[in-house]
Amino acid sequence: MRAWQDEDGQWRLTGVKRFITNGCGEILLTLARSEPDVKDGRGLSLFLVERGPRVRVRHLEHKLGIHGSPTCELVYDDAPGKLIGERQRGLVTYVMALMNGARVGIAGQSLGVAEAAYRVARQYAHTRKQFGVPIERLPAVAELVADMKIAIEAARALTYETCRICDLENNNLRVLEVLKPTDPDEIKRRKADARTLKRLNSMLTPMSKYYASEMSVRVANDALQVLGGSGYMKDYPVERYLRDARITTIYEGTSQLQIVAAVRGVCSGAFEKRVEEFEQMSYSDELLSALKEKLVEARGLVLKGIAFVKERGAEYMDLCGRKLVDSAIVVLVGHLFLKQALASERKRHVARRFIETGLPTIQRDIDLVCRGDSSVMQHFELLAGPPPGA
């Protein structure tokens, strides 16, 4: 997509955009290359384009799911546009800010789809009888349903914490930019808070999007499994929930890209500092206190893995990113559950189940990280085999 100015100074946009959600709308925020000599993201600017004769919907995409949301391919034929903000800041400043909000929004979308799928499965497991009892009394089904519920609550806890930190960051910036405090000590404190919150959000926003979206696909898939053959049929909405959940791991940055972003925060000190704050909490409840000590040990394991990958370089960090991020999430969510357990007896049991099933995965993943095995990159062609037809 190219942006240029005509002799009257009017910006014009020419090119094609694919996979545009609601591209048939009246207002189109469009990223285009306004600096032809600048090849990276600094050459992109953001424009407002209104629907008109010079913007054409070439076709609607035929998708696996989210059929209620039109996804378009758009053709811009010297369409008039208005520059938003400053030139060359379209991607680096504006779209990245929009993307952080979108990541949290998709985490919320993922929670909604997963919750809907879980409710169908929970009701079905309660009413469907097999061998004379509701299938929820069968151990394999009971474990599946219970773990679905805990997975949703874990993703919800992480997403809500992310939203809280986003609010703190945004409100602090508004005070600095709009209210403009005059007290030097307050200004210094708020600027320090702004840096801290920005680093924390740089980790939490991709982390919550990754975790909630992957959870949504898993829970929707498990819900279909609870219903069995009935779930595979369109008589029930579960097959649609599974198709709708699948996009959440893809748009606004795939899970793999979210991991790359989140692991930088995990390894930069944001994870360690946040967990140290959680560890200041004290619990008089014997169970919660014991679980906290287990999380303290788990933090040590994660830091061990972080130190190892830092010695191996960026490529190995990306290779081990999922294991490190998953381990960090178990520790973070474990602490969030402990705080919730102070006000809920049920959450005591949720915290215990989540932490005690999550800790062995941390041990396994950090052990794998510290082996230093990068054979998947060194011997990719052998392991993956040749492309079909090659």
Side-chain angles (χ1 to χ4, degrees), residues 174-208:
R174 286 194 183 98
V175 170
L176 284 170
E177 294 171 359
V178 179
L179 297 182
K180 297 180 179 179
T182 57
D183 180 48
D185 291 336
E186 182 182 358
I187 294 173
K188 182 178 180 180
R189 175 178 59 81
R190 287 192 176 277
K191 287 185 176 180
D193 288 345
R195 291 189 294 270
T196 299
L197 291 168
K198 183 177 181 179
R199 284 195 296 270
L200 186 55
N201 263 335
S202 295
M203 177 184 73
L204 287 178
T205 50
M207 185 181 279
S208 59

Side-chain angles (χ1 to χ4, degrees), residues 17 42 55 104 153 169 178 211 237 279 314 360:
K17 286 286 187 181
R42 292 171 297 175
V55 179
V104 177
E153 294 186 16
E169 181 186 12
V178 179
Y211 189 65
E279 290 176 358

Side-chain angles (χ1 to χ4, degrees), residues 139-297:
V141 177
E143 183 178 46
L144 195 62
V145 172
D147 285 345
M148 287 165 61
K149 179 67 170 175
I150 293 172
I152 293 171
E153 294 186 16
R156 183 177 288 122
L158 182 61
T159 300
Y160 284 9
E161 174 69 1
T162 302
C163 292
R164 189 180 73 85
I165 299 299
C166 283
D167 279 350
L168 290 174
E169 181 186 12
N170 291 334
N171 291 339
N172 185 61
L173 288 175
R174 286 194 183 98
V175 170
L176 284 170
E177 294 171 359
V178 179
L179 297 182
K180 297 180 179 179
T182 57
D183 180 48
D185 291 336
E186 182 182 358
I187 294 173
K188 182 178 180 180
R189 175 178 59 81
R190 287 192 176 277
K191 287 185 176 180
D193 288 345
R195 291 189 294 270
T196 299
L197 291 168
K198 183 177 181 179
R199 284 195 296 270
L200 186 55
N201 263 335
S202 295
M203 177 184 73
L204 287 178
T205 50
M207 185 181 279
S208 59
K209 196 271 187 186
Y210 155 67
Y211 189 65
S213 62
E214 292 288 335
M215 174 280 301
S216 184
V217 174
R218 188 171 67 252
V219 166
N221 191 57
D222 287 345
L224 192 150
Q225 191 71 21
V226 171
L227 271 67
S230 295
Y232 200 69
M233 304 300 156
K234 292 197 173 184
D235 304 68
Y236 289 86
V238 175
E239 57 84 25
R240 176 168 64 86
Y241 295 145
L242 179 56
R243 289 186 287 105
D244 288 351
R246 193 62 185 86
I247 189 61
T248 64
T249 67
I250 297 171
Y251 62 7
E252 298 298 344
T254 64
S255 290
Q256 289 69 33
L257 291 178
Q258 304 306 317
I259 289 168
V260 168
V263 76
R264 296 296 189 273
V266 170
C267 294
S268 70
F271 163 76
E272 183 178 7
K273 184 175 181 180
R274 188 68 182 125
V275 172
E276 286 175 348
E277 292 172 358
F278 283 134
E279 290 176 358
Q280 300 304 310
M281 292 281 296
S282 60
Y283 301 94
S284 57
D285 182 283
E286 185 176 339
L287 172 62
L288 300 186
S289 181
L291 291 173
K292 176 193 165 184
E293 290 307 311
K294 291 183 179 181
L295 290 177
V296 172
E297 294 178 11

